[in-house]
Amino acid sequence: MKVKFNKDCVIDKKEIENAVFKNENIEFEGYTATRDFQLTANKILAFFLSACKKECFLSSLAYSSSELLGNADKANIKRCFCEECNLDINNPIDYEAAMIDFKVEISSNLKHYRELQEKNRLYIKYNLSYIDGVISLKIINKATLTDDEKLKIRKKFERARQYHSIEEAYTTIDQSEGSGLGIIIIVLMLKQIGLGPECFNIESKNGETISSVLIPA
């Protein structure tokens, strides 16, 4: 069972508490991870962790949510951009060509690409559950990772193992586009609360990309 919310719903704390009590998934869905979407997701998260009596994880999971929602949103926009430019995002040459103009074009014409996300039904789902003491956070977007994206993600996970603290990562990594700092920080934040990299995963299946953070009992 799922308790579903969308951007037009009123977020009811009691409904979230009941979902946790019944071991039901809580899902918030939209087409764009705007600031309002992320604020609503954080509100749901706060109510959810309060119901689980796990408020101690709010900071780590709120940061993870923000980064992963941003990544999912950007991935969906890239698909819209490449399609409109008649470029194959799975072709490394086409992908490289698209990324030359992507950032400038999106910055100047974001509203258009937001509309395309909804028109193409490239959704983003924010999913929470608390079953058998395990907290699960999943960010799901309607796009499949390319081979190049999979390689970059794998390298970011490997790079995260080189650092002993978040501070070390911040002072060492060039915080430019594509540096992957967000993923690295998530790994290190989980490490700070005693969780290994196996508790954080990004994978594609059935036409979706699923980024998940698990906090065991």
Side-chain angles (χ1 to χ4, degrees), residues 13 46 66 84 100 106 125 129 150 158 169-170 173 215:
K13 183 177 181 181
S66 177
E84 189 161 70
I100 293 172
I106 297 305
K125 297 178 181 180
S129 67
K150 290 176 184 177
E158 291 172 355
Y170 268 120
I173 297 174
I215 299 181

Side-chain angles (χ1 to χ4, degrees), residues 48-58 61 130 133 135 216-217:
F48 168 78
L49 291 175
S50 175
C52 299
K53 302 189 186 321
K54 298 289 186 179
E55 295 93 335
C56 58
F57 296 122
L58 180 58
L61 290 181
Y130 185 59
I135 292 173

Side-chain angles (χ1 to χ4, degrees), residues 26-28 41 45 65 69 125-128 137-139:
I26 298 163
E27 190 166 270
F28 176 43
L45 177 64
S65 296
L69 283 170
K125 297 178 181 180
Y126 182 84
N127 186 287
L128 293 165
L137 163 68
K138 293 181 180 179
I139 309 296

Side-chain angles (χ1 to χ4, degrees), residues 84-210:
E84 189 161 70
C85 295
N86 293 315
L87 295 170
D88 180 3
I89 196 168
N90 292 294
N91 182 308
I93 296 175
D94 279 4
Y95 182 86
E96 186 176 345
M99 291 307 101
I100 293 172
D101 298 322
F102 173 75
K103 192 172 183 179
V104 173
E105 175 64 20
I106 297 305
S107 297
S108 62
N109 205 9
L110 181 59
K111 184 176 183 293
H112 169 66
Y113 290 99
R114 290 290 190 209
E115 291 169 351
L116 283 180
Q117 283 175 276
E118 184 164 359
K119 179 182 176 181
N120 295 338
R121 304 193 67 79
L122 296 180
Y123 55 74
I124 297 171
K125 297 178 181 180
Y126 182 84
N127 186 287
L128 293 165
S129 67
Y130 185 59
I131 300 173
D132 295 331
V134 178
I135 292 173
S136 170
L137 163 68
K138 293 181 180 179
I139 309 296
I140 303 165
N141 65 291
K142 184 61 176 174
T144 301
L145 292 169
T146 67
D147 289 341
D148 183 64
E149 288 170 332
K150 290 176 184 177
L151 178 60
K152 287 178 179 177
I153 289 169
R154 186 161 61 248
K155 287 182 176 179
K156 290 166 188 175
F157 275 95
E158 291 172 355
R159 191 169 185 185
R161 297 190 183 97
Q162 302 173 11
Y163 300 106
H164 300 289
S165 68
I166 294 172
E167 293 74 19
E168 182 185 359
Y170 268 120
T171 56
T172 305
I173 297 174
D174 174 16
Q175 297 181 42
S176 61
E177 173 69 22
S179 66
L181 182 62
I183 288 176
I184 291 170
I185 297 302
I186 292 172
V187 173
L188 294 173
M189 288 187 84
L190 294 175
K191 183 179 180 180
Q192 281 187 337
I193 57 176
L195 301 177
E198 70 278 1
C199 294
F200 176 31
N201 187 53
I202 301 174
E203 64 178 345
S204 285
K205 59 182 180 181
N206 300 325
E208 298 177 326
T209 294
I210 304 166

Side-chain angles (χ1 to χ4, degrees), residues 28-42:
F28 176 43
E29 181 175 346
Y31 291 105
T32 58
T34 60
R35 176 172 171 76
D36 285 344
F37 186 98
Q38 296 206 25
L39 287 172
T40 301
N42 283 340

